[in-house]
């Protein structure tokens, strides 16, 4: 059986978010994951238009405010209950979370893209 390495595909919007962060915060580690990649694995689940951004814990608040200033509907490390109660996954949004140091990375277009 032949297997190949999975590389997530990011929408243009997710790439743009990653580039904004990389440009404004060149020394911050970044992981960007497009919620639509889950559609590859969950054929029965509705769409997920959320972009998940993980950055160094010290930079989270600055990245969050930058994305808000850029006009994105952004959320800073929301709890699971907040996500379920308040975020509409059919609309575009960005969730900023702390980067887990053990997260695997794939270098993608100049910034790290989370790899499943």
């Amino acid at each position: 059986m032949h297997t190949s390495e999975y590389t997530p595909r990011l929408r243009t919007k997710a790439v743009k978010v990653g580039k904004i962060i990389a440009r404004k915060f060149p020394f911050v580690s970044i992981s960007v994951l497009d919620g639509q990649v889950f559609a590859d694995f969950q054929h029965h689940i509705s769409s997920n238009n959320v972009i998940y951004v993980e950055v160094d814990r010290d930079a989270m608040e600055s990245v969050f405010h930058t994305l808000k200033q850029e006009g994105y509907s952004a959320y800073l490390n929301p709890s699971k209950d907040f996500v379920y109660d308040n975020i509409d996954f059919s609309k575009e949004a960005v969730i900023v979370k702390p980067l887990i140091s053990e997260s695997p990375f794939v270098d993608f277009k100049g910034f790290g893209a989370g790899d499943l």
Side-chain angles (χ1 to χ4, degrees):
M1 176 185 211
H2 175 69
T3 60
S4 61
E5 184 176 315
Y6 173 75
T7 303
R9 293 167 289 158
L10 299 179
R11 288 176 291 155
T12 303
K13 183 78 91 171
V15 171
K16 184 177 177 185
V17 166
K19 286 183 177 182
I20 289 169
I21 298 168
R23 185 178 68 248
K24 294 198 177 200
F25 304 95
F27 301 109
V28 171
S29 297
I30 306 163
S31 176
V32 176
L33 180 63
D34 188 342
Q36 286 193 348
V37 302
F38 299 126
D40 292 344
F41 304 105
Q42 300 173 324
H43 63 279
H44 62 285
I45 301 296
S46 60
S47 66
N48 181 344
N49 290 310
V50 175
I51 298 168
Y52 302 88
V53 174
E54 293 183 357
V55 295
D56 297 327
R57 190 173 292 278
D58 296 346
M60 283 175 37
E61 204 166 322
S62 296
V63 168
F64 164 73
H65 288 297
T66 296
L67 293 172
K68 294 290 275 185
Q69 288 174 347
E70 292 284 333
Y72 290 95
S73 177
Y75 299 92
L76 180 60
N77 201 20
S79 69
K80 180 172 58 170
D81 290 336
F82 181 89
V83 170
Y84 289 131
D85 293 340
N86 298 294
I87 298 178
D88 182 353
F89 284 79
S90 68
K91 297 181 180 172
E92 290 186 346
V94 180
I95 293 179
V96 180
K97 300 173 22 175
L99 180 67
I100 306 301
S101 60
E102 294 84 23
S103 295
F105 285 95
V106 173
D107 188 26
F108 180 76
K109 298 190 183 205
F111 59 89
D115 187 16
L116 298 176

